[in-house]
Amino acid sequence: MTLPHFADAQTFRAWRSQPQQWLPIALDIARGHGVDTGAPHVFSTGTNLVVGLGEKLILKIFPPLLHAQFVSERGSLMQLKGRLHLPIPEIVAEGMRDGWPHLIITRLSGTLGSEIWPSLPEAQKERVLRQIGETIAAVQRAPLGPLAQIEPRWSDFMRTQMLGCRARHTRLGLAPKFLAGLDDLLRDAATLIPMDAPPVILIGEYIPENFLLTSRNGDWSLAGLFDFGDVRAGWRDYDLLGPSAFMSAGRPGRVRSLLEGFGYEKPDFALKRRLMALMLLHQASDLNSHICIEGWQDKVNDLVELQELIWAE
């Protein structure tokens, strides 16, 4: 049994969507590490091949075309081990099969954030967002170590994103009234976003699909963080974008909890402007799909009003 070669991500995704084609190989890899494969569970979401092995372990297999994600995941788990108050997976074993690297990592306990977040009372949403802000700050206090070598470097990444920003958001259907302010925002971004400041670890996706929650006496709290495949090194504010877009919903209490947990006081215009620029420049930026404020396109007339809506005080 061998893992095939794929020239592009689309072909790989189609193959990944049919686990019968690769699960026997995954289980063979697990057995090679002496792991019990009696109760496998295929995770259908995500980017790579991911199989739960019982209640305690997870096997992640990375295709060669996504080797950078393996480097990011492995490096992050090693660098952050023992440095956070929050559980993250630990590496149990690693190896290579047909040019595909893999990791066997511990499986965290808790309930996926995306399953619980919509039903949480408002006070508990603020509580969790404060904890997320605190967690982002804790991750960023960890030394970069070998993660400093991840390419592209922050300044190169930002400049590339700036060059392609208008074309990207035009293609994604951002309304003309927002596109009209893009040049002004990008001009401001060149001075608002530090390009050469000391970089920190950026996870890139602090979103409900990537963390676990647990309840104690009816109070839900952050219980685990996973998925480090998109880590890069750069300016710290970048990691506020996921929770700002997907979770804060423009509600002042949530915004305040997130930013205070992170270490910011009341956001000023410059911070909001910088965050708005970073949101448009994010690797996965798509405002129409990612801003979770109902009817936001009709509530504001330009990007300045939009930043006031997202980071409401």
Side-chain angles (χ1 to χ4, degrees), residues 109-118 120 124 128 131-132 208 211-215 219-224 247:
S109 60
T111 304
L112 193 63
S114 54
E115 296 179 9
I116 301 296
W117 177 257
L120 285 181
Q124 295 204 30
V128 170
Q131 292 172 350
I132 288 174
F211 61 75
L212 298 170
L213 297 173
T214 189
S215 174
D219 290 330
W220 288 88
S221 295
L222 209 55
M247 303 172 69

Side-chain angles (χ1 to χ4, degrees), residues 40-118:
H41 170 73
V42 173
F43 290 89
S44 57
T45 58
T47 307
N48 301 286
L49 310 182
V50 185
V51 184
L53 304 169
E55 297 296 318
K56 301 294 185 181
L57 298 174
I58 286 177
L59 168 64
K60 296 188 73 170
I61 309 172
F62 302 77
L65 56 85
L66 295 177
H67 186 268
Q69 290 202 358
F70 167 74
V71 172
S72 175
E73 181 99 14
R74 180 181 181 275
S76 300
L77 293 179
M78 294 177 67
Q79 192 64 17
L80 293 173
K81 182 179 180 180
R83 298 184 186 275
L84 304 180
H85 65 284
L86 193 68
I88 62 172
E90 294 187 14
I91 299 174
V92 174
E94 60 181 283
M96 184 83 71
R97 174 81 166 255
D98 304 318
W100 296 51
H102 60 262
L103 296 171
I104 295 179
I105 58 178
T106 54
R107 188 170 183 172
L108 305 178
S109 60
T111 304
L112 193 63
S114 54
E115 296 179 9
I116 301 296
W117 177 257

Side-chain angles (χ1 to χ4, degrees), residues 53-270:
L53 304 169
E55 297 296 318
K56 301 294 185 181
L57 298 174
I58 286 177
L59 168 64
K60 296 188 73 170
I61 309 172
F62 302 77
L65 56 85
L66 295 177
H67 186 268
Q69 290 202 358
F70 167 74
V71 172
S72 175
E73 181 99 14
R74 180 181 181 275
S76 300
L77 293 179
M78 294 177 67
Q79 192 64 17
L80 293 173
K81 182 179 180 180
R83 298 184 186 275
L84 304 180
H85 65 284
L86 193 68
I88 62 172
E90 294 187 14
I91 299 174
V92 174
E94 60 181 283
M96 184 83 71
R97 174 81 166 255
D98 304 318
W100 296 51
H102 60 262
L103 296 171
I104 295 179
I105 58 178
T106 54
R107 188 170 183 172
L108 305 178
S109 60
T111 304
L112 193 63
S114 54
E115 296 179 9
I116 301 296
W117 177 257
S119 62
L120 285 181
E122 191 63 24
Q124 295 204 30
K125 287 182 175 177
E126 293 179 7
R127 168 193 174 94
V128 170
L129 277 165
R130 183 177 296 275
Q131 292 172 350
I132 288 174
E134 292 168 350
T135 298
I136 296 171
V139 168
Q140 295 183 357
R141 284 193 293 270
L144 273 172
L147 296 175
Q149 305 305 315
I150 288 180
E151 296 288 349
R153 302 301 172 92
W154 175 251
S155 58
D156 294 334
F157 169 65
M158 274 290 105
R159 291 187 180 102
T160 299
Q161 294 300 100
M162 287 179 183
L163 287 173
C165 185
R166 175 172 290 279
R168 176 190 182 91
H169 291 289
T170 300
R171 173 174 54 83
L172 292 171
L174 189 62
K177 64 181 179 180
F178 300 119
L179 290 172
L182 208 51
D183 289 341
D184 289 341
L185 184 62
L186 291 175
R187 185 189 62 245
D188 291 349
T191 55
L192 284 172
I193 300 172
M195 296 294 181
D196 300 311
V200 297
I201 297 174
L202 301 175
I203 303 300
E205 292 187 320
Y206 286 91
I207 57 177
E209 288 78 8
N210 290 345
F211 61 75
L212 298 170
L213 297 173
T214 189
S215 174
R216 177 177 296 179
N217 299 323
D219 290 330
W220 288 88
S221 295
L222 209 55
L225 185 67
F226 62 94
D227 194 351
F228 297 87
D230 293 315
V231 165
R232 68 174 68 251
W235 178 248
R236 59 181 187 160
D237 292 358
Y238 187 80
D239 266 350
L240 291 170
L241 304 179
S244 292
F246 287 92
M247 303 172 69
S248 293
R251 300 197 178 207
R254 296 190 204 178
V255 172
R256 182 170 58 251
S257 295
L258 171 66
L259 295 181
E260 288 180 354
F262 182 68
Y264 281 150
E265 296 182 1
K266 187 176 179 180
D268 59 15
F269 180 85

